[in-house]
Amino acid sequence: MDIRFVKRKNLKEKPKDALGFGTKFTDYVFNMDWDEDEGWHDAEIVPYDDVKMDPASMVLHYAQATFEGLKAYKGADGNYYLFRPYMNAKRFINSNKRLCLPELPEDLFVESIKELVKLEKDWIPEGEGESLYIRPFMYAKEVKLGVAPSKSYRFSIILSPVGAYYPQGMAPVKIYVEDELTRASLGGTGFAKCAGNYAASLLGQVKAEKLGYTQVLWLDGVERKYVEEVGSMNAMFLIDDTVITAPAGETVLPGVTRDSVIKILKDKGIKVEEKHLHIDDLMAAAKDKRLKEAWGTGTAAIISPIGELFYKGEEEIINDFKTGELTQEIYDTLTDIQWARSEDKYGWREKIDID
Ligand SMILES: *Cc1c(COP(=O)(O)O)cnc(C)c1O
């Protein structure tokens, strides 16, 4: 790939205090443009800076925008890795198809990320649980107010060093089951990682927080009865001896972490069922203590234990509000693979060659 490079005059200071999530950004940004005549062209890595935009740029009005999220890790073996980036590349294509954005070939997606991360490798933090969060995104650039797919787009990648999600170790969260607002509906954009989905989820999140809960558990958009996702994570429930999670691909986002955890669970001999779970059955299982453990899965937190469910005035505590044994075990198995502390038996690590 031909990438124009513009060197920064002064590099930023690397952060010394707590990293948090998504507040600090590295020195450079990757950009590449698309239009009907030229297709993808003008790839560049340039100093991180403001984006100048016409106020009539289509993305600002009609939310034709998609994104991805993955991480780069400094492995225990001293190498730099991505985790299953081709899954993100495929999902990005599916999201872009749904939102009428152009297709970015898988190799180009992964190659662009590798080039930027290679340049910014000194930004990959090395503390326990720390990594470099990668945010590729695409948006409509055409200047016009007519409602139609834009005729030009920009693809960008920014990088953000992030801290351990739980600096004090995993801690269960309290979940509000949202019985009015919904996140996704049949035929909609639930499976796509698009900006608008997040805009639509904010009110539920704000409501949950006001009531003292950390996240929302979303129910399906047709009957508001079936469990779908928790915040922007996939949700899993250990009931009796089976892990149940909602089927992905239509109203549920196909998470890379979800897929990885399912494979790890099955490998450990644990039954996994991808099916629609009725909220009444979930609450009943919680009440009877047949719901042994529950957790969310996503790139940012990796695994987030669920300690409490609140639904229509009823409150149920899960596993005495402690991180479950299985929850901890899959977290350890997955993070050992990601940080190269264990053998990569699934071939999930993608090494970044630093020449
Ligand atoms: C990104 C995302 C997830 C998690 O996907 P990962 O690939 O595991 O990070 C789950 N649900 C929603 C709505 C998301 O946007």
Side-chain angles (χ1 to χ4, degrees):
M1 193 189 345
D2 223 3
I3 305 175
R4 184 175 80 100
F5 178 60
V6 179
K7 203 171 162 56
R8 249 191 118 95
K9 285 203 184 70
N10 299 301
L11 295 183
K12 298 183 194 174
E13 289 263 343
K14 306 279 187 299
K16 285 184 187 70
D17 43 345
L19 290 169
F21 184 84
T23 56
K24 301 173 171 79
F25 299 95
T26 67
D27 290 304
Y28 292 95
V29 55
F30 176 97
N31 297 315
M32 185 162 57
D33 291 324
W34 186 95
D35 62 38
E36 287 178 330
D37 292 340
E38 293 182 88
W40 288 111
H41 63 279
D42 285 353
E44 60 175 21
I45 291 178
V46 296
Y48 189 103
D49 200 0
D50 295 348
V51 175
K52 191 170 171 296
M53 245 193 235
D54 188 295
S57 299
M58 285 177 113
V59 64
L60 298 177
H61 303 270
Y62 309 124
Q64 216 192 346
T66 55
F67 65 96
E68 268 302 326
L70 65 163
K71 286 172 170 175
Y73 307 83
K74 172 101 189 260
D77 58 1
N79 290 318
Y80 300 95
Y81 295 102
L82 302 174
F83 183 73
R84 310 187 74 185
Y86 286 91
M87 285 207 66
N88 298 91
K90 287 192 178 80
R91 185 169 69 193
F92 200 43
I93 290 173
N94 290 335
S95 300
N96 288 332
K97 272 190 190 148
R98 179 63 183 83
L99 278 286
C100 294
L101 281 83
E103 179 169 326
L104 179 65
E106 286 174 37
D107 286 337
L108 202 48
F109 176 90
V110 175
E111 216 38 54
S112 309
I113 290 172
K114 281 184 176 172
E115 288 302 323
L116 185 63
V117 172
K118 202 155 80 174
L119 176 70
E120 300 278 59
K121 66 178 188 335
D122 294 342
W123 280 90
I124 304 180
E126 296 185 22
E128 177 69 29
E130 295 178 342
S131 56
L132 186 66
Y133 185 78
I134 303 164
R135 169 53 60 87
F137 57 107
M138 200 191 293
Y139 56 91
K141 269 194 354 182
E142 195 186 345
V143 175
K144 186 178 162 186
L145 292 182
V147 179
S150 169
K151 289 192 163 61
S152 59
Y153 297 88
R154 168 155 284 196
F155 169 64
S156 295
I157 307 167
I158 53 175
L159 306 174
S160 172
V162 296
Y165 206 82
Y166 297 103
Q168 268 88 45
M170 267 199 292
V173 290
K174 292 170 68 173
I175 299 295
Y176 182 83
V177 182
E178 175 57 59
D179 60 353
E180 286 174 4
L181 307 169
T182 61
R183 192 195 81 89
S185 61
L186 295 175
T189 56
F191 67 89
K193 233 173 160 61
C194 62
N197 283 353
Y198 280 74
S201 76
L202 296 176
L203 186 57
Q205 178 66 26
V206 168
K207 184 173 151 191
E209 281 173 17
K210 266 197 197 135
L211 295 167
Y213 296 85
T214 310
Q215 293 272 353
V216 170
L217 179 67
W218 298 105
L219 300 177
D220 75 279
V222 179
E223 297 183 58
R224 288 184 286 202
K225 286 293 173 205
Y226 296 96
V227 170
E228 297 210 318
E229 300 198 54
V230 50
S232 49
M233 290 184 285
N234 295 111
M236 299 191 179
F237 304 91
L238 174 64
I239 300 181
D240 298 321
D241 58 356
T242 304
V243 172
I244 299 171
T245 190
E250 180 140 35
T251 55
V252 170
L253 192 112
V256 177
T257 320
R258 174 189 182 277
D259 184 83
S260 307
V261 168
I262 290 174
K263 289 200 166 73
I264 289 170
L265 286 168
K266 287 185 173 168
D267 232 28
K268 288 185 191 293
I270 292 156
K271 266 186 283 175
V272 180
E273 281 183 32
E274 297 177 54
K275 67 170 194 188
H276 300 285
L277 174 62
H278 200 291
I279 183 64
D280 291 343
D281 294 338
L282 178 64
M283 294 307 284
K287 204 183 189 91
D288 298 348
K289 307 288 176 209
R290 288 171 39 241
L291 173 60
K292 304 253 165 45
E293 300 182 28
W295 63 85
T297 69
T299 296
I302 308 172
I303 303 289
S304 181
I306 298 171
E308 182 180 328
L309 292 171
F310 179 91
Y311 176 59
K312 288 195 193 290
E314 197 188 321
E315 202 171 75
E316 297 295 346
I317 304 289
I318 304 164
N319 195 39
D320 298 325
F321 210 81
K322 290 202 289 278
T323 298
E325 231 172 271
L326 184 63
T327 309
Q328 186 69 52
E329 195 181 325
I330 49 176
Y331 175 83
D332 292 341
T333 306
L334 186 53
T335 53
D336 281 351
I337 296 173
Q338 289 171 331
W339 273 276
R341 291 186 294 255
S342 69
E343 185 206 339
D344 182 21
K345 67 171 180 177
Y346 305 102
W348 286 343
R349 286 197 293 264
E350 175 82 16
K351 192 165 163 244
I352 301 171
D353 289 315
I354 311 285
D355 29 52

